[in-house]
Amino acid sequence: MDTILRTDMPKLKFIGSGKVRDIYDLGEQMLIVTTDRISAFDVVLPNGIPGKGKVLTKLSKFWFENTKDIVENHLITTEVDEMPEICREYRSQLEGRSMLVKKAKPFPFECVVRGYITGSGWKDYKATGEICGIKLPAGLLESQKFETPLFTPATKAEVGEHDENVSFERMASDLGKKDAEDLKRLTVAVYERARDIADAKGIIIADTKLEFGIYDGKIILIDEVLTPDSSRFWKKVGYQAGKPQDSMDKQYVRNYLETLDWDKKAPGPKLPDDVAQKTSEIYHGIMDILMK
C-alpha cells in the first residue's frame, strides 16, 4: 500500500501543514488532506504508515456523523465529486483522505478528556497526586477508570514543540469562563457518546483529545475526531487495572520509540518497515471494529 507524505497540488492555494495534515484555501471553505505522516512526542517521523490518512478520514467522518446532534462540526463532504471542480484534477491524492470543511477560527487549546488514568496523566499523578491541577484520591492504579471523566485541556504547540497540560482555570482565564465551560461540557458529552458506542463493540476509549473552533458565532467541532492518532483504544477483553494495556492506537509506535536511545527531539528516527506495517494493521483493525 502506497503512502502519501505530502501533497502536491499547485493549482490550489496551499496554506500550510500540521503534523499530519496539509491544508488548502478554497475561498469560503478549506480543504484538509490527511497524509500518512505520523508524529510521536510531537515530532514528525521521516516515514509514514500505509493507509493511515484514509483510516483517520473515515473514522472522523463516522464520529462527526454520530455526534452532530451534540455539537455541529466543520465537515461538508469527503467525496471528491462534491468538492469544487478544481479539486478533481488531484483525485489520486484526495480520494478517501480529504475533507472539504467550513472555515472556523480554532481555539488555541486542545480539549482532552480522560476516562481512565494512563499516559501523561498517570505520570503526573505519580509525581504530584494531580492531573492539570485536579487533586485526585490517593491509591489509584494505572489504567483505573475514573468515576467521572476528567477534562484536562492543553495548549496547542507549534510543530516540533510540546503541548503543555494546563488547568481549566488557565483556560478560562485565556478564553473567558463561558467559552471554557462550553468547551468542557461539549468535550465530555462527545466523549461519553463515543465511549458508549465503542463499549457496545468491545472497545474502551481511555482518553481522547478534541479541537473546536468558532464558525458563524457558534462553537463547532473541527479537525479530527476519535482516531487512533488522538485517542487511546483498549479491548475490553483482557482489561485489568494496575498495569499498562495493549492499545489499538499510536501507543504501539510510542512503545517502540521508548526502546531507542532518542531524546524525543527532531529529527525523529525512521520506523522499521515491520513496525510501520504493524501500525497500519492496528489502525485498520480499530477502524473495522468501530465502524462495523
Side-chain angles (χ1 to χ4, degrees):
M1 191 184 300
D2 291 336
T3 59
I4 292 182
L5 294 183
R6 51 187 39 82
T7 55
D8 181 19
M9 299 185 286
K11 292 184 181 178
L12 301 182
K13 183 180 178 182
F14 178 70
I15 299 176
S17 294
K19 293 167 188 168
V20 175
R21 290 164 182 80
D22 291 350
I23 305 171
Y24 293 83
D25 189 337
L26 298 182
E28 294 184 358
Q29 301 158 340
M30 291 194 308
L31 182 67
I32 298 178
V33 189
T34 307
T35 72
D36 298 319
R37 297 193 295 267
I38 190 164
S39 69
F41 307 110
D42 297 308
V43 175
V44 178
L45 304 183
N47 56 324
I49 305 301
K52 173 177 175 282
K54 293 185 177 182
V55 170
L56 267 55
T57 301
K58 287 178 183 176
L59 269 174
S60 291
K61 181 183 178 183
F62 172 80
W63 290 118
F64 280 135
E65 182 65 27
N66 279 279
T67 58
K68 65 183 182 182
D69 60 315
I70 297 172
V71 58
E72 292 181 33
N73 60 69
H74 71 164
L75 180 61
I76 298 171
T77 186
T78 60
E79 300 298 323
V80 177
D81 286 335
E82 297 174 2
M83 296 176 183
E85 189 170 351
I86 193 172
C87 297
R88 296 170 201 172
E89 180 177 338
Y90 304 109
R91 182 181 299 274
S92 63
Q93 298 180 64
L94 299 177
E95 199 82 70
R97 62 170 71 248
S98 57
M99 298 189 297
L100 183 69
V101 302
K102 303 167 186 172
K103 269 187 178 176
K105 181 182 179 183
F107 286 101
F109 289 89
E110 290 185 332
C111 294
V112 180
V113 58
R114 304 173 188 268
Y116 295 73
I117 186 166
T118 186
S120 65
W122 172 243
K123 291 178 182 177
D124 290 347
Y125 171 74
K126 286 194 296 181
T128 67
E130 300 180 352
I131 300 178
C132 294
I134 302 170
K135 184 70 175 175
L136 297 172
L140 294 181
L141 302 175
E142 184 175 7
S143 305
Q144 184 172 335
K145 184 178 182 179
F146 293 119
E147 288 189 15
T148 57
L150 294 187
F151 178 74
T152 60
T155 57
K156 293 196 316 195
E158 297 296 323
V159 174
E161 300 296 322
H162 294 290
D163 298 337
E164 178 190 356
N165 293 336
V166 296
S167 66
F168 175 77
E169 289 72 24
R170 156 75 188 279
M171 184 186 195
S173 175
D174 285 7
L175 299 183
K177 187 175 181 181
K178 184 180 185 308
D179 279 349
E181 288 181 343
D182 285 345
L183 290 173
K184 177 180 179 179
R185 172 179 55 81
L186 292 171
T187 300
V188 173
V190 168
Y191 169 75
E192 290 179 335
R193 169 70 59 79
R195 176 198 63 192
D196 293 347
I197 290 172
D199 181 78
K201 300 177 180 184
I203 296 296
I204 293 168
I205 303 179
D207 56 33
T208 194
K209 59 182 178 183
L210 304 175
E211 294 198 32
F212 295 86
I214 293 287
Y215 178 78
D216 200 20
K218 292 186 292 188
I219 294 176
I220 67 170
L221 187 58
I222 65 170
D223 196 52
E224 65 175 350
V225 188
L226 290 142
T227 75
D229 263 16
S230 63
S231 315
R232 285 187 174 88
F233 298 111
W234 302 336
K235 288 184 179 179
K236 287 171 66 177
V237 174
Y239 164 75
Q240 183 180 0
K243 62 184 182 67
Q245 310 300 307
D246 290 332
S247 289
M248 300 185 71
D249 51 61
K250 192 163 64 172
Q251 191 61 40
Y252 177 78
V253 173
R254 297 189 196 99
N255 290 346
Y256 165 74
L257 293 172
E258 290 281 19
T259 68
L260 306 180
D261 182 18
W262 175 48
D263 62 3
K264 299 184 175 64
K265 296 179 181 178
K270 184 179 185 295
L271 295 177
D273 290 346
D274 62 325
V275 173
Q277 185 58 42
K278 177 63 175 177
T279 305
S280 177
E281 292 169 7
I282 289 170
Y283 274 51
H284 282 85
I286 189 63
M287 177 184 72
D288 291 343
I289 293 170
L290 292 172
M291 293 183 63
K292 68 182 177 184

